[in-house]
Amino acid sequence: MEILEGKYLKKRKKISRFFEWMLVFGLSLIRFLAGWRPRCRFPREARSVLVIRHNQLGDAVAASAFIQALQDLLPGAKIDVAAGPANAEVFSWIPGVTHVHCLPVTEWGRLRYYWSLRQRYDLVFQTLLDESYWKRLLGARVAASRGILVARARGSCLEKLAEYPVYLPAGSYVGKLMALLRPLTAMDVAALVQQYPAHVLKLPIENLATAQSKIQAAGLAPDRLIALNISAREAFRALSVEQAAVLARVLCDFGQQPLIWFSPADFSLAKQVQALEPRAVCLRWDSLAESMAALRLVKLYVGPDTGTAHFAAAAGVPCVVLFAPQARPDVWSPYGVFFISVQAGRSQAVSQLPVELISRQIWRLLQGERCTEIIPMQPLRYFPVVSVPEK
């Protein structure tokens, strides 16, 4: 990662410069020979918008403030989302989204789907911040067709495929997304973040009612309920059984009620935690919506940096988030709530973080401390450790 003049430049998977220029030349020639002209001359004239964001659950939650801002900047415009199987359902809970396209998993399957979307949209936002730069731009250009494409700039000739390549600022993921709105507004990123200070999700009311019934049936009190998440997609980001059991014991000693959150594949691990600390509670949720609705009934989230942490933040729940060394807490810490992020050292997994350190941060938030803080186990070379300003 490189920071130049406040611009955030992430290392990308490179292809040869020759291939980049051939790709730009070929697509430009096709557009010229086809006689394609922009559907609208200026972004502010757009009446149909496509937001591309087909990564994981947390990425969908992260886009909610961006979509809210987009809706206000283009009143009356239809806003569709190109999502993936992992996060398509979440976009249906974001106010302002008209339709969700669920893209195939494979790169070329997505490209074929983008071809089916061509000439539908006046304005297309490629919001993905990951490594597959040329594939992301190619797919977005196909989807935009005669529309205007806004995408991330990375200092490559591929940026000529977008009408508005935008350098993203260093800082949190919401600020990076808000920077993509520069073609639509003169407001700077800081002002947009201040205007949209939290994520907005509207989960189905029936899921909230069902989750509340299950929590009441288990004899749990929301004013003492703590979400202890043990699951993550990668093993190095997840809590160990023993670590989770000790944290559950600490929470009980604090006078709280730990409710173990887990993915369906980790149910056996959750039962092992409960066997080591019987006062911890395991509940199985019938759907993703029900599980995420239940987070609105807890007072604190403790666990890895996953989509569940962002759902908790969207519910206004303070968070103690545990980061692996590969992740960036200065970018992906929770948005719109008080939080303490603890990052493992270079050679550590989340399961190796000291329970005593995590317990101290839990106690700070339970005592009502209003803070947004990042605690690294050791200095890391690839980003500056900062204290995130209080929102």
Side-chain angles (χ1 to χ4, degrees):
M1 195 279 292
E2 184 181 2
I3 297 177
L4 281 176
E5 299 177 358
K7 300 171 183 177
Y8 171 65
L9 302 175
K10 188 176 179 181
K11 292 181 180 179
R12 59 186 175 87
K13 291 181 179 178
K14 293 184 178 180
I15 57 176
S16 70
R17 185 69 64 179
F18 174 78
F19 183 78
E20 287 184 350
W21 277 111
M22 288 299 295
L23 187 62
V24 171
F25 175 76
L27 286 177
S28 301
L29 182 62
I30 290 171
R31 296 179 74 196
F32 174 77
L33 294 177
W36 285 354
R37 297 292 181 271
R39 292 168 60 92
C40 60
R41 192 171 297 275
F42 303 106
R44 294 285 305 196
E45 298 173 353
R47 288 296 170 260
S48 56
V49 182
L50 179 68
V51 177
I52 298 175
R53 197 162 184 84
H54 53 72
N55 279 10
Q56 303 301 322
L57 291 176
D59 297 279
V61 180
S64 64
F66 169 81
I67 290 173
Q68 187 183 10
L70 186 58
Q71 188 180 21
D72 291 343
L73 290 170
L74 295 174
K78 182 185 75 165
I79 300 174
D80 292 352
V81 174
N87 66 3
E89 184 180 6
V90 179
F91 283 105
S92 67
W93 305 333
I94 298 178
V97 174
T98 306
H99 179 75
V100 181
H101 299 282
C102 188
L103 300 174
V105 175
T106 64
E107 295 284 356
W108 294 112
R110 291 194 199 113
L111 192 59
R112 288 193 298 270
Y113 198 100
Y114 286 139
W115 180 257
S116 72
L117 298 179
R118 71 193 188 284
Q119 303 195 40
R120 292 193 195 182
Y121 296 101
D122 300 328
L123 183 60
V124 173
F125 288 92
Q126 172 55 278
T127 70
L128 296 176
L129 311 180
D130 56 15
E131 299 293 321
S132 301
Y133 187 55
W134 75 271
K135 295 178 184 177
R136 302 298 190 231
L137 269 182
L138 177 60
R141 182 69 267 168
V142 170
S145 183
R146 293 189 298 119
I148 295 171
L149 174 61
V150 181
R152 175 183 184 174
R154 282 184 169 176
S156 163
C157 64
L158 291 172
E159 292 158 16
K160 297 183 181 296
L161 297 178
E163 281 72 22
Y164 291 93
V166 178
Y167 279 101
L168 305 188
S172 76
Y173 59 90
V174 176
K176 298 181 192 307
L177 290 175
M178 292 302 188
L180 295 174
L181 296 175
R182 284 171 181 158
L184 294 174
T185 177
M187 294 178 64
D188 61 22
V189 170
L192 283 168
V193 170
Q194 187 174 10
Q195 186 169 339
Y196 301 93
H199 295 307
V200 180
L201 295 178
K202 290 188 177 179
L203 291 145
I205 191 66
E206 60 271 17
N207 296 117
L208 182 60
T210 304
Q212 192 167 11
S213 297
K214 288 186 176 181
I215 286 174
Q216 289 176 347
L220 300 173
D223 62 336
R224 295 194 294 132
L225 193 59
I226 309 294
L228 177 59
N229 183 21
I230 65 170
S231 296
R233 279 187 298 128
E234 295 90 359
F236 63 84
R237 295 169 60 192
L239 275 69
S240 69
V241 168
E242 295 76 12
Q243 184 186 35
V246 175
L247 284 172
R249 187 173 305 121
V250 168
L251 288 168
C252 292
D253 292 343
F254 286 163
Q256 310 301 311
Q257 294 179 322
L259 177 57
I260 303 173
W261 243 262
F262 54 90
S263 68
D266 290 339
F267 178 65
S268 61
L269 296 179
K271 296 304 288 184
Q272 291 177 42
V273 174
Q274 190 178 38
L276 292 173
E277 177 46 69
R279 291 176 292 178
V281 178
C282 287
L283 291 179
R284 300 190 75 164
W285 311 107
D286 295 330
S287 66
L288 174 66
E290 186 178 284
S291 173
M292 298 304 105
L295 286 169
R296 297 181 178 272
L297 304 173
V298 306
K299 63 181 294 187
L300 182 68
Y301 168 90
V302 180
D305 163 43
T306 66
T308 307
H310 295 291
F311 272 102
V317 176
C319 302
V320 175
V321 186
L322 312 177
F323 281 84
Q326 293 85 348
R328 292 179 52 90
D330 60 326
V331 175
W332 290 105
S333 286
Y335 180 69
V337 296
F338 298 112
F339 69 85
I340 300 175
S341 295
V342 181
Q343 184 172 44
R346 294 189 194 96
S347 59
Q348 284 183 312
V350 165
S351 59
Q352 296 173 295
L353 285 171
V355 171
E356 296 80 5
L357 174 64
I358 302 171
S359 301
R360 285 199 298 271
Q361 314 320 315
I362 293 172
W363 181 248
R364 289 172 61 189
L365 291 182
L366 287 177
Q367 289 293 99
E369 188 169 333
R370 300 161 63 86
C371 58
T372 53
E373 187 176 338
I374 297 171
I375 301 175
M377 289 299 296
Q378 61 191 49
L380 299 176
R381 290 174 296 179
Y382 57 84
F383 73 92
V385 177
V386 298
S387 179
V388 181
E390 184 175 306
K391 302 177 180 66

